[in-house]
Amino acid sequence: MGCGGSKDGKSNGDGPGRTDPNGAPTAMETEVNQKKMQQCVEIVDTLDTSKDGILQPEELQLLVKHLYPCFINVCVKDIPLDNPKIKAFDQKNKEELAKYLYAECDETWVSVFHGFLGRGEKKSDFPKCEPGVYRVKWEGGVRYRLTPNYTDIADEEHLALPDTEFDISHFVQGPMGLWYGYIHWAKYFLPMTFQDGNCMMERIGEPGTSKQLRRLAEDLFHEIDSMTTDGYADWQEITSFLQGAEIAFDEEALKIHFEACDLNADNKLDLEEFVECYRQEAMANVFAIPTATRMDIPHPESLKDDIQEQRRERLEKAKAKLAAAIQARK
């Protein structure tokens, strides 16, 4: 889930609660404070699934997971029940707990978690997304989803950090009309907006134009070349490195693109040749996730044919390029 706010999860000093020169909250601040308090009440009420006025251990874990930044990359089930954040809830009834969260937690985190639980404002007319380069805009990052469903978080994975760029070609519309970008090497989805329409992922360019992904390709080349430092990467060096780093690749496609990009047919790629090969998407372009461990997971049925067709088209172009290069050498 994308979250923002202060580093410790507490209200920022210049946030709600400021007063006018006479010491009284302004009308706008009063409205914001009332909204935050209502959201805290609704969060606690929603989590109390048994409606007995007591939050169960797993409900408390979920609560601190989404309201405190220190747990942002910790699985819900791995949050210790004796952690001070959870222990602070001891002996508090629902009203007391709501007041505690209001005083302790950042307004933005409260609002985002409130929406995540389905209690916030919702839109239904989300604009369709176009293929291109997308940047994580939300300041707290965005959680990967297992399916195109807002609450189906891939809790085992770290979140996509702010300013991370993705080249996204496929989108699926989930419940309530929200669009999700499919990260096909990771087999995960990223929500493009919050349920209220606020942006999580911002389109910043046409497909294949990401400077950040270009730099990652260059870094990958230099890592592969670090053993020999001869300025080249041959087939064995590339595949051995990718396997060791658990970076997924399509061996058949990569071999064809390798040969097509090897312009002088010396069985190795220089930096520019490697970058061109990388751009053909025969190897994973997501490095924060060990994509090799997810190779056996099938693509969604709704996307599988289109992904295979794109692969086939790239291979046909690579074969044609290779044939023309071979002909030119004769």
Side-chain angles (χ1 to χ4, degrees), residues 145-161:
R145 266 60 172 187
L146 296 169
T147 63
N149 187 306
Y150 198 71
T151 60
D152 195 12
I153 287 178
D155 201 31
E156 300 290 336
E157 298 293 353
H158 288 192
L159 77 171
L161 295 172

